[in-house]
Amino acid sequence: THTTTCCLSLTHTHLAFTLSLSLTRPIPHHHHTTIPHHTIHMSSDDEIEMNEEDLELELDDDEMDIDQESGSEEAEDENLMENTYYGAKTEEDIEESLEMFNMILEMEETPGEWGFKSLKQMIRRLYSAQRHNDMLENYKILLKRMGPDGHVSRNDSEKAINKVLNMVSSANDSSLLSSVYTITLDALKKMNNEKLWFNTKLKLGNLYIKQKAWDKLEQVIAELKEWCTDGKGNVDQSKASQLLDVNVLEIQMYTVQNDLKKLRSLYLKCVALIGGAVVMNPRITGVIRECGGKMWMREEAWKDAYFDFFEAFKSYDEAGSTQRIDCLKYLVLSSILMGDGEEEDVVDPFEASETKPYKNHKDIAKISSLLTSIRNGDIRSFQNVLKSDVAKDEFMSNFFDDLQKTIRTKVLTQMVKPYTRIYLKSIAKELQTQEEVVERLTVDLILNEKLAGHIDQVQKMLLLERINESAAQRIDALNKWTDNLERIHRSVLEKISQ
């Protein structure tokens, strides 16, 4: 400890005062500045004689000491919070970790990085422990830090909110989901973050699709559409891309509801928007094309479905979406049905360069084996595949009857070629089905001119007629020519749309 003594002599109107001031302060051990003794003399003529340069140096040293001490304390606090955070993060006991995270919040003089990170960890751990009320309270605190007076960047805010929403999206507690989204949307309105509000509302809409909560979904769609207008009921052109997102949400709703009339109308509108867009999000394009493919499938327009599923697959593949696998399954499905049991009409979807790498994918192998079974006329193998986990796909299961008809048509037409007459029960045995099913299938083939003959109802026998081979060849040639024209037409339309 150093002692600085300043002596002041003052003479004024025959009075003399002497004032001695003793200033004592601690000096850090690393600081070795020697403080000189200063004497200030003041005369009646107000003349001051002092070593001003030395005094200034002394004052500068004082300020430097205070700054160094303050900076050192801040660095120590920062290190302590960082060490506490990582210790809490690796702590397996939830109560211990929560206590350590709370210590960080208490240590913060102003909201900072480590407190923000601690809150995120606390929310995650409380959710895992199913302490939902405590989780919501901490989530509210986290959102307050993102407000106008907060110290969190918009980018970090969006990441944190999206992580929380993704975390709770798999929860079965509808009350928790409702609370999280309500709290989030209210906070975003106060933040005036319209973009994140829209994306969160859109995420809520997708959640309602999974839950099939149609009334709530329609309300969300109405709010989003209103947000995309200019206040006068007209579409705000600056929000055209967001409106397309809303349309995609709506088209998914109609697809699941199987509302073909509304689905077709919205699909055509979306396709027109896709064609006119210079740059389009491939994920958006994928959803529109996938919904279109499902629509065509339900209308039994197999070729149209094949085209849309292929476009959807390419878009999902470009976006890196796992939905490409489901679309590839549907592509194989549509290619089988498009062939209608005739080998030369069955298109191999894996001949395309885009799909070829996925031919041996573990999730594609079984559906791909259906295509092989069709070509080989192996009905037993075909049936085994349909009984596997392929049946778990809700959309594909709607077309199992059509698939059965396709393989049976293939086997039946091949089987009867050497005969002029054959019992229906013989065909039924080969097709592993009942005579009534064979009879309906045979009648259908005769009416569609794929078989020439008639059924003897008494004898339960199919009587076949021999047709002129040259005439049959001409008909086949015309059919192939028509199909090729249709493919060229599609190719031209695709290039124009691009």
Side-chain angles (χ1 to χ4, degrees):
T1 302
H2 297 267
T3 301
T4 303
T5 303
C6 179
C7 296
L8 175 63
S9 298
L10 175 62
T11 303
H12 183 68
T13 322
H14 306 292
L15 295 176
F17 300 93
T18 302
L19 177 63
S20 297
L21 299 177
S22 296
L23 303 177
T24 305
R25 63 175 178 80
I27 300 299
H29 294 296
H30 63 274
H31 188 70
H32 301 290
T33 305
T34 302
I35 302 177
H37 182 131
H38 303 284
T39 303
I40 305 176
H41 299 281
M42 296 182 65
S43 66
S44 60
D45 297 327
D46 297 325
E47 293 178 352
I48 301 175
E49 295 180 3
M50 63 178 292
N51 191 337
E52 294 182 356
E53 184 177 352
D54 286 347
L55 183 58
E56 288 176 2
L57 285 173
E58 180 183 348
L59 294 175
D60 287 343
D61 288 343
D62 290 344
E63 292 174 0
M64 181 176 67
D65 292 337
I66 295 170
D67 290 342
Q68 287 178 347
E69 288 174 5
S70 176
S72 177
E73 289 175 3
E74 289 178 3
E76 288 177 4
D77 290 344
E78 185 78 11
N79 291 334
L80 180 57
M81 285 190 287
E82 181 179 359
N83 292 334
T84 305
Y85 171 79
Y86 286 110
K89 194 175 179 181
T90 55
E91 175 60 55
E92 294 182 0
D93 184 271
I94 185 171
E95 295 301 333
E96 289 289 337
S97 65
L98 291 174
E99 185 177 348
M100 293 171 75
F101 285 130
N102 273 316
M103 283 176 57
I104 296 172
L105 297 177
E106 292 172 1
M107 289 166 61
E108 282 188 322
E109 294 182 4
T110 58
E113 175 189 1
W114 299 111
F116 182 70
K117 288 183 175 181
S118 297
L119 282 168
K120 290 194 293 182
Q121 289 294 327
M122 290 171 74
I123 291 167
R124 185 178 65 81
R125 295 209 172 195
L126 289 167
Y127 175 75
S128 299
Q130 296 187 347
R131 291 167 56 177
H132 295 159
N133 290 332
D134 292 336
M135 187 209 84
L136 290 173
E137 289 304 314
N138 280 278
Y139 185 48
K140 290 177 184 178
I141 297 172
L142 183 74
L143 290 172
K144 284 181 181 178
R145 292 193 172 214
M146 302 176 188
D149 300 327
H151 301 274
V152 182
S153 70
R154 177 163 290 197
N155 186 46
D156 288 340
S157 298
E158 292 182 8
K159 286 182 179 179
I161 289 174
N162 284 328
K163 282 184 178 180
V164 172
L165 296 179
N166 290 335
M167 179 180 69
V168 302
S169 62
S170 59
N172 296 321
D173 189 342
S174 58
S175 175
L176 172 65
L177 288 169
S178 177
S179 297
V180 170
Y181 274 97
T182 300
I183 291 170
T184 304
L185 291 168
D186 288 345
L188 291 173
K189 278 187 177 180
K190 293 177 182 178
M191 294 180 205
N192 199 26
N193 191 335
E194 290 191 355
K195 179 184 175 184
L196 190 52
W197 177 89
F198 176 86
N199 290 335
T200 303
K201 201 77 172 177
L202 202 65
K203 195 183 287 285
L204 178 60
N206 282 305
L207 182 64
Y208 287 151
I209 288 177
K210 293 179 182 177
Q211 296 177 343
K212 296 185 178 180
W214 306 127
D215 291 339
K216 292 180 179 179
L217 177 59
E218 287 177 357
Q219 183 179 351
V220 167
I221 290 172
E223 290 178 12
L224 291 173
K225 282 186 174 180
E226 184 180 355
W227 183 83
C228 292
T229 61
D230 58 5
K232 299 179 181 179
N234 301 317
V235 176
D236 186 343
Q237 293 303 318
S238 65
K239 299 176 180 178
S241 62
Q242 284 89 346
L243 180 60
L244 187 58
D245 286 325
V246 181
N247 288 338
V248 167
L249 194 65
E250 192 172 13
I251 202 173
Q252 290 179 88
M253 178 179 71
Y254 294 145
T255 300
V256 178
Q257 291 177 333
N258 200 20
D259 190 336
L260 295 181
K261 184 178 179 181
K262 292 180 179 178
L263 176 58
R264 176 184 279 272
S265 174
L266 189 57
Y267 165 78
L268 294 174
K269 182 192 291 186
C270 289
V271 168
L273 289 173
I274 291 174
V278 178
V279 178
M280 181 63 62
N281 185 331
R283 186 192 64 81
I284 297 296
T285 307
V287 173
I288 294 170
R289 290 296 186 182
E290 181 186 358
C291 290
K294 289 180 176 179
M295 177 188 73
W296 296 125
M297 289 287 285
R298 287 174 176 136
E299 294 182 357
E300 297 187 4
W302 313 125
K303 292 180 181 179
D304 292 324
Y306 183 89
F307 175 79
D308 269 348
F309 282 138
F310 186 62
E311 292 300 312
F313 167 79
K314 290 193 296 183
S315 295
Y316 283 137
D317 195 33
E318 181 184 347
S321 172
T322 55
Q323 190 63 21
R324 63 189 168 206
I325 300 300
D326 283 339
C327 265
L328 191 51
K329 292 179 184 178
Y330 304 150
L331 184 66
V332 175
L333 175 65
S334 60
S335 71
I336 294 172
L337 297 175
M338 187 168 61
D340 201 22
E342 298 182 17
E343 184 175 353
E344 59 272 18
D345 289 337
V346 177
V347 178
D348 186 351
F350 297 106
E351 287 182 353
S353 59
E354 295 90 345
T355 57
K356 189 174 292 184
Y358 295 92
K359 186 172 184 177
N360 297 319
H361 191 282
K362 61 185 178 88
D363 295 326
I364 299 296
K366 287 185 178 179
I367 188 71
S368 179
S369 64
L370 287 176
L371 195 61
T372 306
S373 299
I374 285 279
R375 288 179 168 173
N376 297 335
D378 186 350
I379 197 165
R380 186 179 299 277
S381 174
F382 191 89
Q383 298 284 9
N384 290 336
V385 174
L386 290 187
K387 292 176 183 177
S388 68
D389 55 2
V390 171
K392 294 179 182 179
D393 190 302
E394 185 178 351
F395 176 72
M396 287 190 66
S397 63
N398 294 323
F399 302 94
F400 281 1
D401 288 342
D402 296 293
L403 287 171
Q404 294 275 18
K405 181 181 177 182
T406 300
I407 186 69
R408 287 168 180 166
T409 298
K410 164 79 174 177
V411 174
L412 190 153
T413 52
Q414 292 294 326
M415 179 183 178
V416 301
K417 277 184 179 181
Y419 302 96
T420 56
R421 60 182 61 196
I422 185 171
Y423 285 104
L424 296 180
K425 65 180 180 181
S426 298
I427 301 174
K429 184 178 180 180
E430 182 67 22
L431 299 184
Q432 301 179 19
T433 188
Q434 300 173 346
E435 285 187 33
E436 292 79 4
V437 176
V438 172
E439 186 173 345
R440 287 196 300 270
L441 178 60
T442 305
V443 169
D444 187 55
L445 291 172
I446 291 171
L447 291 176
N448 287 301
E449 299 181 353
K450 293 184 177 180
L451 276 180
H454 63 278
I455 296 175
D456 185 337
Q457 295 283 358
V458 178
Q459 299 293 326
K460 294 292 181 180
M461 183 178 286
L462 171 63
L463 305 177
L464 295 158
E465 300 172 3
R466 294 297 177 188
I467 62 172
N468 187 289
E469 292 293 334
S470 61
Q473 289 175 358
R474 285 198 298 272
I475 292 171
D476 287 343
L478 284 171
N479 286 334
K480 289 180 180 179
W481 181 68
T482 303
D483 290 341
N484 286 332
L485 282 177
E486 188 171 350
R487 290 192 185 99
I488 293 170
H489 176 66
R490 285 187 177 282
S491 179
V492 171
L493 287 178
E494 182 183 352
K495 289 180 179 178
I496 291 173
S497 66
Q498 291 176 351

